Amino acid sequence: MAAASEHERELEGWYNPPKEIQDEAHIASMDAYKARYKQSIEDPAGFWGEVASDFFWKVPPKSDHFLKYNFDLDNGSVDIKWMQGAKTNICYNVLDRNVHDKGLGDTVAFYWEGNVPGDTKQITYGELLKQVCKFANVLESKGVKKGDRVAIYMPMIMELVIAMLACARLGAVHSIVFGGFSAESLAERILDSTCKILITADASYRGLKMINLKEIADHAIIKCRERSFNVEACIVVRHLGPDKRVPTDPSSSPPPKRPCHQLQTSFDSSIDCWWHEVMAEASDEHDTVWVDAEDPLFMLYTSGSTGKPKGVLHTHGGYMLYTALTFRYSFDYHPGEVYWCTADIGWITGHSYITYGPMANGAISVLFEGTPFYPDCGRFWDIVDKYKVSKFYTAPTAIRSLMKFGKEIVTSHNLESLKVLGTVGEPINPEAWLWYYHVVGHNKCAIVDTYWQTETGGHVITPLPGATRTRPGAATFPFFGVEPAIVDEKGNELEGPCEGFLVIKRPWPGMARTIYGNHKRFENVYFDKFRGYYTTGDGCKRDENGYYWVTGRTDDCMNVSGHLLSTAQIESALVEHDAVSEAAVVSCPHKEKGEGIYCFATLMENVELDEKLIRELKQKVRLKIGPFASPDVIQSAPALPKTRSGKIMRRVLRQVAKNDRQTGDLSTIYDPAVVDSLFEARPHVPFLPD
């Protein structure tokens, strides 16, 4: 057998915590991690009580009431309570506490970078507190009170943070809808949560594309009326307006001098009002509304297997503790460092690791409205260089998309400030991990591959930068208070090295408490399949060193000729080839196998998919996984259909694989033209059923 190549050794290699990070780390060794983890499992009240002591409580939590729960449907309804009876407010803890108790009033909370380079601003914790108090008064004047639901449909602007924190200050429940969903999707979420107020903006740009948010919001309000529900008020931020800088095509030489876009914003004075007008009349003082630790903070809608989105509900107290601690330890954050999460606040990553977690630690953050590719594919690195970002958090999809442009665009920037590089949203394949480590991190940064979900509220399996020896693609070990297990199809817990379904055995403070208005669905989705466990819906393997490797959604697995295959594993094998920058794999009907393997490959610049490359890619999969995993079809995909947040729309790819143009709602896709190009380039597939 031939000796392993240097590249193959890298893929299987170990990476120790960088000494520079270890020397100042909150958790600086595996022994320290194990001791703290042991305490968090054996004495959760003591462990989380210590964390809680750093926060302000109007009524402190009692140790005998710290945790009460039932996970087992065989013993009644699922019920999770952390610190019930304690009184606090997360807004007070991320603003008033930082300004008045910690002296951070003049510290920058957010540097804002707009879609167009040069469109920037910043806001301090003291300024943010005043703005939040003003908007809390505005909401109160509109009749919003504790327990009411408020819909927020906005771009990545400062007013989005202000709005969500103002809701929290009042004890109102915010429901943020990603600013790219269709009017139907927005209306569906407003109706499900009965939001009486909608907050939006006139419009926003993503790269060269304008999204008319107010127009979409108007259609959503009409759809609500058609279903006998009235939105009482719509508060509109003038984000673009008549004077906003308009993006230009960077390929133009010289850039054309285009006039400002004359945005025509519809306005119904019976319900619409301008943000700047109502804020001008509001006081910048507002008392905090104290809430129970178990009172709802926000709901966030996530996809459901039935097609109906689920309003996952999180609460003030436990979520506050969990996001604060995971942020501090997962990124090893220290005061004065600049942190940047590239996610959108419309998703859970933005809730937990742009707003609540960083602000609970008094962090200095970057808030970014644009895309990685405008005005060119060096935008991320421009911003890292500009603000001397120390901790950077992005998605594997973004990393793979940037890999295809080569390393020169990265290395031409000064990225010496970087210390920790995080990934989020999906398992990162080893090739992308290594590119991130070598090219972006200059071989000196810790890579933090975080595993978590909307429902978990924060990281549940993750390396710690100063303690964990990492391996490319491994999620590594559980966070404090999280006790994972791997079970087989019958729910039997597996020991040692194994592969199966990832479940969690006990509650942690940041986990969701219910699905809004439908607790039975919460129980059925997360607790019915494996009684006594929280079911993540993900497959997982544990190796001989105890490391956890998340293999992807169990509904993203394929049963090919009796073999259960993870699409993520096949994708990882494909992108190990130097010619492939990104891959997406779906199943398709097969006359003989039942399910076939259909692969979409985005190739590096100036590479063509010929028969030789197809053979090499199939061989790569055969060698990495086995002959049974060899792809049936490999199609060149210059671009993949993605949402504006960068998530690959696999349901669309499944329709392309089947040659079925009934693709459904494409309102959230970043570039709908990608879908037509994939259908046009689709090769003949002889094995499809008639």
Side-chain angles (χ1 to χ4, degrees):
M1 182 179 293
S5 68
E6 181 179 350
H7 183 60
E8 288 171 329
R9 287 195 296 273
E10 271 201 314
L11 291 173
E12 299 296 329
W14 295 90
Y15 293 79
N16 292 320
K19 188 175 187 308
E20 180 186 356
I21 292 174
Q22 202 164 31
D23 286 345
E24 64 176 14
H26 296 297
I27 306 294
S29 68
M30 279 306 293
D31 286 342
Y33 161 77
K34 290 175 181 177
R36 291 284 280 159
Y37 180 75
K38 184 173 186 287
Q39 181 199 4
S40 73
I41 297 300
E42 296 180 355
D43 180 20
F47 180 89
W48 293 107
E50 181 184 334
V51 178
S53 67
D54 191 39
F55 293 89
F56 178 83
W57 301 86
K58 190 69 173 178
V59 177
K62 297 179 180 178
S63 59
D64 57 338
H65 286 167
F66 218 88
L67 171 60
K68 294 186 177 180
Y69 74 98
N70 173 44
F71 253 28
D72 193 348
L73 277 173
D74 292 331
N75 295 321
S77 178
V78 169
D79 188 49
I80 304 132
K81 296 287 189 292
W82 284 88
M83 302 169 291
Q84 188 174 29
K87 302 288 184 185
T88 190
N89 185 296
I90 197 170
C91 177
Y92 185 93
N93 277 287
V94 303
L95 282 177
D96 306 65
R97 167 175 150 272
N98 281 328
V99 173
H100 301 308
D101 299 344
K102 296 186 176 293
L104 299 179
D106 294 331
T107 299
V108 171
F110 291 100
Y111 293 109
W112 179 76
E113 276 282 326
N115 179 61
V116 178
D119 192 8
T120 63
K121 63 180 74 168
Q122 65 184 54
I123 191 168
T124 66
Y125 276 93
E127 292 166 340
L128 188 54
L129 174 57
K130 290 182 178 180
Q131 292 296 306
V132 168
C133 287
K134 285 169 75 75
F135 197 63
N137 282 310
V138 169
L139 290 175
E140 212 164 43
S141 73
K142 301 293 181 184
V144 176
K145 59 186 183 302
K146 178 183 174 183
D148 288 341
R149 279 76 58 206
V150 176
I152 303 175
Y153 183 67
M154 298 174 77
M156 285 287 288
I157 55 179
M158 216 79 83
E159 289 85 351
L160 172 52
V161 176
I162 293 167
M164 64 195 295
L165 290 174
C167 289
R169 194 172 193 84
L170 291 171
V173 184
H174 60 72
S175 173
I176 300 178
V177 181
F178 171 61
F181 272 117
S182 65
E184 180 63 37
S185 297
L186 175 58
E188 183 178 40
R189 286 154 174 78
I190 292 172
L191 288 166
D192 186 74
S193 54
T194 58
C195 293
K196 61 163 65 175
I197 304 290
L198 173 61
I199 308 166
T200 189
D202 51 6
S204 68
Y205 273 101
R206 291 279 292 174
L208 295 170
K209 182 173 183 178
M210 192 189 80
I211 305 165
N212 194 323
L213 296 167
K214 180 58 165 61
E215 184 176 73
I216 297 169
D218 288 343
H219 288 309
I221 290 171
I222 292 170
K223 290 178 181 294
C224 289
R225 286 177 187 158
E226 290 171 349
R227 299 173 205 179
S228 303
F229 181 81
N230 289 321
V231 174
E232 297 175 12
C234 180
I235 304 171
V236 187
V237 176
R238 180 174 281 164
H239 178 48
L240 294 190
D243 301 320
K244 191 72 170 184
R245 290 180 61 193
V246 176
T248 57
D249 187 345
S251 64
S252 302
S253 182
K257 295 187 178 299
R258 296 170 59 185
C260 288
H261 180 79
Q262 297 299 312
L263 180 67
Q264 300 296 318
T265 303
S266 59
F267 210 78
D268 179 353
S269 58
S270 66
I271 64 167
D272 292 339
C273 58
W274 287 111
W275 174 290
H276 61 277
E277 292 179 353
V278 292
M279 286 287 276
E281 303 169 357
S283 166
D284 63 6
E285 294 184 356
H286 188 283
D287 290 339
T288 304
V289 176
W290 302 110
V291 297
D292 192 279
E294 278 298 314
D295 278 343
L297 169 62
F298 69 85
M299 65 182 71
L300 188 58
Y301 284 85
T302 186
S303 300
S305 57
T306 64
K308 179 179 172 56
K310 311 183 293 287
V312 174
L313 194 92
H314 286 280
T315 56
H316 273 255
Y319 177 82
M320 176 175 71
L321 301 190
Y322 201 73
T323 53
L325 197 70
T326 49
F327 173 79
R328 187 185 311 156
Y329 285 170
S330 295
F331 301 108
D332 197 55
Y333 184 81
H334 297 270
E337 294 178 327
V338 178
Y339 161 83
W340 180 22
C341 171
T342 69
D344 192 290
I345 294 178
W347 309 114
I348 188 62
T349 304
H351 282 59
S352 298
Y353 298 115
I354 292 179
T355 305
Y356 290 116
M359 292 187 69
N361 286 275
I364 304 168
S365 296
V366 175
L367 188 68
F368 179 51
E369 184 190 14
T371 80
F373 310 108
Y374 181 80
D376 58 49
C377 56
R379 186 74 193 279
F380 273 4
W381 321 125
D382 288 337
I383 295 172
V384 170
D385 191 352
K386 177 180 179 179
Y387 294 107
K388 304 307 174 191
V389 172
S390 176
K391 312 296 166 72
F392 180 70
Y393 197 32
T394 196
T397 294
I399 297 167
R400 290 192 295 266
S401 296
L402 292 165
M403 285 172 63
K404 67 186 292 185
F405 298 102
K407 65 181 181 180
E408 288 76 16
I409 194 71
V410 183
T411 56
S412 63
H413 295 80
N414 183 354
L415 306 184
E416 287 299 314
S417 59
L418 289 171
K419 295 180 180 179
V420 175
L421 302 175
T423 71
V424 59
E426 59 182 297
I428 183 171
N429 57 291
E431 285 286 342
W433 195 103
L434 289 169
W435 187 86
Y436 204 25
Y437 178 78
H438 290 306
V439 178
V440 180
H442 297 290
N443 308 324
K444 68 178 183 61
C445 292
I447 305 294
V448 179
D449 177 9
T450 62
Y451 169 73
W452 61 299
Q453 304 170 320
T454 301
E455 296 84 350
T456 72
H459 308 151
V460 288
I461 302 178
T462 180
L464 300 181
T468 312
R469 291 182 75 202
T470 52
R471 299 188 70 183
T476 69
F477 299 112
F479 192 75
F480 302 119
V482 176
E483 190 174 7
I486 297 176
V487 299
D488 63 18
E489 292 180 349
K490 296 181 180 178
N492 300 310
E493 197 168 324
L494 305 175
E495 301 295 335
C498 60
E499 186 165 358
F501 299 89
L502 179 62
V503 298
I504 301 177
K505 301 171 70 169
R506 62 173 69 205
W508 58 100
M511 75 177 298
R513 302 300 194 259
T514 191
I515 291 172
Y516 180 75
N518 195 343
H519 191 68
K520 181 56 68 177
R521 187 181 183 194
F522 179 71
E523 294 175 328
N524 291 343
V525 171
Y526 302 110
F527 298 91
D528 188 48
K529 183 171 184 177
F530 301 118
R531 298 291 177 105
Y533 300 97
Y534 167 84
T535 303
T536 67
D538 283 304
C540 187
K541 66 178 180 180
R542 185 171 52 228
D543 66 20
E544 64 278 5
N545 298 294
Y547 280 57
Y548 288 86
W549 302 69
V550 178
T551 56
R553 298 297 297 173
T554 51
D555 53 8
D556 281 342
C557 288
M558 300 174 291
N559 194 328
V560 179
S561 300
H563 298 281
L564 190 64
L565 301 176
S566 163
T567 58
Q569 288 177 299
I570 301 172
E571 290 163 1
S572 181
L574 290 170
V575 297
E576 284 187 14
H577 195 289
D578 291 340
V580 179
S581 68
E582 189 169 23
V585 175
V586 297
S587 65
C588 64
H590 194 290
K591 288 181 179 178
E592 296 177 5
K593 300 179 183 179
E595 285 187 279
I597 302 171
Y598 200 111
C599 306
F600 296 85
T602 301
L603 305 178
M604 304 296 283
E605 292 288 319
N606 303 318
V607 175
E608 292 184 3
L609 186 68
D610 55 20
E611 288 300 318
K612 178 175 180 292
L613 180 55
I614 290 174
R615 286 195 301 272
E616 289 176 3
L617 293 175
K618 289 185 176 182
Q619 183 65 9
K620 194 78 173 173
V621 176
R622 291 169 67 92
L623 291 174
K624 190 73 177 179
I625 304 173
F628 54 86
S630 181
D632 296 290
V633 180
I634 300 177
Q635 176 177 340
S636 177
L640 295 169
K642 297 178 182 178
T643 65
R644 294 179 183 89
S645 66
K647 185 176 181 180
I648 296 171
M649 300 180 72
R650 295 177 191 276
R651 65 172 177 82
V652 174
L653 294 178
R654 292 188 189 98
Q655 296 304 100
V656 175
K658 293 188 294 185
N659 202 23
D660 183 350
R661 290 182 177 265
Q662 297 181 22
T663 53
D665 181 15
L666 297 180
S667 62
T668 62
I669 196 170
Y670 181 70
D671 183 5
V674 167
V675 180
D676 289 332
S677 67
L678 290 175
F679 275 108
E680 291 169 6
R682 182 183 178 278
H684 174 63
V685 181
F687 57 74
L688 279 177
D690 297 329

